[in-house]
Amino acid sequence: VEGIVPDFLTLLHGVIDSPDIPLNVSRSYLQADGAVKKIASHISKKVSDKLEELFKKDRADFEAKWDDIKIFIEYGILSDEKFAERAKKFTLYKTTEGKYYTMDELTEKITPVQKDKDDKLVYLYSSDAEAQHSFVNAATTKGYEVLLMNTHLTSHLVGKLEQSMENTTWARVDADTIDKLINKDEKIPSKLDEKQQEQLKPVIEEVVEKAKFNVQFESMSETDQPMTIVQPEFMRRMKEMQAVGGGGGMAMFGGAMPDTYNLVVNTNHPLISKILNEKDKTKQSEITKRTTDLALLSQNMLKGEELTQFINQSIALI
């Protein structure tokens, strides 16, 4: 009955025993009755108390069950403020390495290393550790913790956490290069000056959709990828929230936000210098196309005819 059992607890089975509800009443009477509203609150509290008890009694067993129940806990956190407050004691956050932390434990763990130049604590997460492996690896190599957050409610949950936690930000690992996500203001000298970057930009724009990709140059380590495709955190999160409802004022986009990405060019990678210095325009275009194809492939964005051509060209090279 709507109004008695909270929506996020509809998976529960049981009997409510209460002497305060008269037997012969309509559903509308039940929904308007003050005692019924107290019952709904009581059910929520009883469930949170039980979950906390299970967590404290046998944490290992609770962790083993977490992946199966977390979607309901997240729904409860988003829909019931009182439940959200009580859930802080037992809500777990799983890392890509399979470790579980409460929010307090996680914050204590990452505070020494994951603060940016503005002293803001940055929480990193991944929606698919395998698909985003290169981004996850770049973060964990630096000693950062990456959470695995992969439910339909993740974007809404992340938004709520950002609002309720002071001086923090949340970012998916593929939203930008790791040095941009946690900006320590450590400058790496660039091998390409501004003039060379301006010279190279139209060469790259010729082989990608200008409306879809924004070409950016960044001074990174020589061992980082020559080109990386990222989607800005705000744009991607708004799209995901819109997909599951609650996208807010997205009508200005005609009901759907366009897919836009940043193509980040590593100015220190030898391959980028090779593209710049190549005199043969045809060969320059071929190298540029293959390099951008690799960036697309790493994000599972190379499909159809372009993927077939890439495979055939690679076979020919071998």
Side-chain angles (χ1 to χ4, degrees):
V1 177
E2 184 180 348
I4 294 183
V5 180
D7 287 344
F8 68 97
L9 294 177
T10 51
L11 77 162
L12 289 178
H13 291 242
V15 175
I16 297 171
D17 182 14
S18 173
D20 300 320
I21 303 176
L23 292 175
N24 299 315
V25 292
S26 65
R27 175 174 292 190
S28 60
Y29 177 88
L30 276 177
Q31 292 171 343
D33 187 75
V36 171
K37 289 181 171 60
K38 290 180 181 178
I39 289 173
S41 177
H42 183 68
I43 292 172
S44 176
K45 184 178 184 304
K46 291 287 285 186
V47 169
S48 60
D49 288 346
K50 184 64 176 179
L51 289 169
E52 183 182 353
E53 177 190 328
L54 292 171
F55 172 69
K56 289 180 177 179
K57 184 178 180 180
D58 191 343
R59 177 162 176 163
D61 184 60
F62 190 82
E63 288 180 357
K65 293 179 171 64
W66 179 252
D67 287 348
D68 295 321
I69 66 171
K70 66 180 180 181
I71 184 69
F72 300 102
I73 307 300
E74 289 177 358
Y75 188 13
I77 291 171
L78 291 169
S79 59
D80 185 335
E81 283 297 331
K82 290 183 178 178
F83 179 83
E85 188 62 32
R86 290 191 287 263
K88 290 178 181 178
K89 299 175 183 177
F90 56 80
T91 299
L92 294 176
Y93 297 87
K94 182 181 179 180
T95 70
T96 53
E97 295 180 346
K99 298 176 183 177
Y100 292 86
Y101 297 98
T102 63
M103 181 53 70
D104 287 344
E105 292 168 347
L106 178 65
T107 300
E108 183 180 355
K109 172 79 173 174
I110 70 173
T111 294
V113 292
Q114 287 182 218
K115 283 191 174 182
D116 64 14
K117 62 183 178 66
D118 299 318
D119 206 37
K120 182 174 285 190
L121 190 60
V122 182
Y123 293 82
L124 300 173
Y125 67 99
S126 167
S127 61
D128 188 329
E130 288 191 11
Q132 296 154 8
H133 179 267
S134 62
F135 295 95
V136 172
N137 184 63
T140 55
T141 298
K142 285 182 173 288
Y144 300 152
E145 293 286 346
V146 180
L147 301 176
L148 183 61
M149 302 180 72
N150 55 0
T151 73
H152 294 296
L153 300 177
T154 292
S155 294
H156 290 276
L157 180 62
V158 165
K160 181 178 177 64
L161 289 168
E162 274 187 336
Q163 292 174 7
S164 61
M165 301 170 68
E166 293 184 0
N167 206 32
T168 62
T169 186
W170 289 68
R172 207 170 81 177
V173 285
D174 61 342
D176 211 327
T177 58
I178 189 60
D179 291 331
K180 280 283 191 70
L181 292 178
I182 305 182
N183 188 351
K184 304 270 188 188
D185 207 21
E186 298 170 351
K187 301 294 184 182
I188 301 176
S190 175
K191 290 185 176 180
L192 303 185
D193 57 32
E194 289 187 14
K195 186 177 180 180
Q196 290 173 313
Q197 292 175 22
E198 290 174 5
Q199 181 183 345
L200 185 57
K201 189 172 183 178
V203 176
I204 298 171
E205 289 178 336
E206 282 182 5
V207 299
V208 295
E209 295 179 53
K210 289 180 67 175
K212 189 174 183 179
F213 296 98
N214 176 38
V215 178
Q216 296 182 345
F217 292 90
E218 189 172 328
S219 178
M220 301 161 63
S221 168
E222 289 186 11
T223 58
D224 289 329
Q225 296 296 323
M227 292 184 187
T228 308
I229 292 173
V230 297
Q231 187 171 34
E233 178 74 11
F234 174 78
M235 293 292 291
R236 180 196 48 73
R237 199 187 298 182
M238 288 301 102
K239 269 188 73 73
E240 291 175 350
M241 290 176 68
Q242 185 186 27
V244 295
M250 295 299 122
M252 69 179 110
F253 293 102
M257 295 182 71
D259 281 315
T260 56
Y261 302 88
N262 292 334
L263 176 59
V264 182
V265 181
N266 180 3
T267 60
N268 290 327
H269 197 282
L271 186 55
I272 301 304
S273 295
K274 181 178 180 180
I275 293 172
L276 177 67
N277 298 323
E278 179 58 57
K279 304 301 181 185
D280 187 323
K281 297 299 181 184
T282 301
K283 190 173 182 180
Q284 184 186 52
S285 180
E286 288 177 356
I287 299 172
T288 306
K289 182 68 170 67
R290 193 156 293 147
T291 307
T292 56
D293 281 350
L294 284 170
L296 288 165
L297 191 64
S298 69
Q299 282 282 51
N300 197 32
M301 293 171 64
L302 192 65
K303 301 179 183 295
E305 185 179 353
E306 288 190 335
L307 177 59
T308 302
Q309 290 176 353
F310 179 81
I311 291 171
N312 292 337
Q313 289 169 353
S314 299
I315 292 171
L317 282 172
I318 294 169

